[in-house]
Amino acid sequence: MAPTFMLAANFIIFGRIIRKLGTSYSRIPPKWYSIIFITSDVVSLIIQGTGGGLASVHIKTNPTPGGHIMLGGIAFQLFILIVYSCLAVEFFVRYSLKKPFRRSGSSETLDLAKPISKKVKIMSYALAFSTTCLFIRSVYRLIELSDGWKGRIIRTEIYFNVLDGAMVTLAIFSLNFIHPGFFLNEPDADDASPEKANAVIY
């Protein structure tokens, strides 16, 4: 099963971090990370489940078509993760360089950045580590299934233990030890900003 709930947690946590550091540095509003990426991830899970079901039903005849559907779902999930990661990197780069997106209808830029606290910084590192683990796992799964049901990769247990099981475990533990309930309990940057009502982010 794909780590859908772990990815969903990452998307939600990143949205919280954006609110704390300044929404003007994000390409899209924080709430859309959850709406777009969680929906897409659920779709990828459904595709993978459909492919797995077909492969299981035809295991004695021809499970290949079901495997191809599963592969499509995994590839779609990896694509989602790449897009999300690119947006996250862009946000942190813009925040570091103090280069927010322009306000709609204005040539001026909106800089509502709040100095990053130690807690938010630690949470950001934990989120990056968790995302990296899930990315490694997704790449492995894509390569594994591309090699076929009888390929060397899918039949080598150590690959699965290290690149699948261990990666998901590390991703889970990283957000258990660096818990967002504790590390993101400070007021959001935009909540204290008098310019919030006049800001239109795009």
Side-chain angles (χ1 to χ4, degrees):
M1 177 183 255
T4 300
F5 296 112
M6 277 302 304
L7 286 173
N10 283 14
F11 301 148
I12 293 171
I13 290 170
F14 181 57
R16 289 290 307 277
I17 290 175
I18 290 174
R19 290 188 182 95
K20 293 188 176 301
L21 298 183
T23 57
S24 60
Y25 297 95
S26 176
R27 183 171 291 273
I28 60 178
K31 68 177 182 179
W32 284 102
Y33 283 93
S34 299
I35 295 172
I36 295 173
F37 292 108
I38 292 179
T39 301
S40 299
D41 200 44
V42 169
V43 170
S44 77
L45 181 63
I46 292 173
I47 295 173
Q48 292 177 60
T50 301
L54 290 174
S56 178
V57 169
H58 300 286
I59 189 68
K60 293 184 178 180
T61 54
N62 183 21
T64 301
H68 288 163
I69 295 175
M70 281 186 66
L71 186 62
I74 293 171
F76 181 53
Q77 185 179 54
L78 181 58
F79 172 74
I80 294 167
L81 196 49
I82 290 173
V83 173
Y84 157 74
S85 299
C86 289
L87 290 172
V89 169
E90 180 188 41
F91 169 78
F92 284 111
V93 169
R94 282 184 172 274
Y95 174 81
S96 299
L97 299 177
K98 298 295 182 289
K99 290 187 176 181
F101 284 97
R102 294 182 181 279
R103 198 173 354 185
S104 181
S106 172
S107 60
E108 298 180 356
T109 56
L110 180 65
D111 189 348
L112 301 179
K114 177 183 178 182
I116 187 168
S117 67
K118 185 177 180 180
K119 283 186 177 181
V120 175
K121 183 179 291 187
I122 292 173
M123 188 73 253
S124 298
Y125 285 138
L127 183 65
F129 178 76
S130 174
T131 301
T132 300
C133 289
L134 296 177
F135 179 80
I136 292 172
R137 186 260 183 191
S138 294
V139 171
Y140 161 73
R141 291 287 289 154
L142 185 67
I143 296 173
E144 175 194 44
L145 205 53
S146 298
D147 197 34
W149 293 109
K150 296 182 179 180
R152 181 175 66 88
I153 297 177
I154 203 170
R155 291 185 292 109
T156 305
E157 187 176 5
I158 187 64
Y159 293 160
F160 175 82
N161 291 340
V162 174
L163 298 174
D164 191 312
M167 292 299 105
V168 174
T169 300
L170 288 172
I172 292 172
F173 282 169
S174 66
L175 297 186
N176 273 296
F177 289 116
I178 312 297
H179 198 282
F182 174 75
F183 285 88
L184 295 180
N185 62 353
E186 301 169 344
D188 293 347
D190 290 353
D191 289 345
S193 173
E195 300 168 326
K196 179 181 177 182
N198 298 324
V200 180
I201 309 301
Y202 67 93

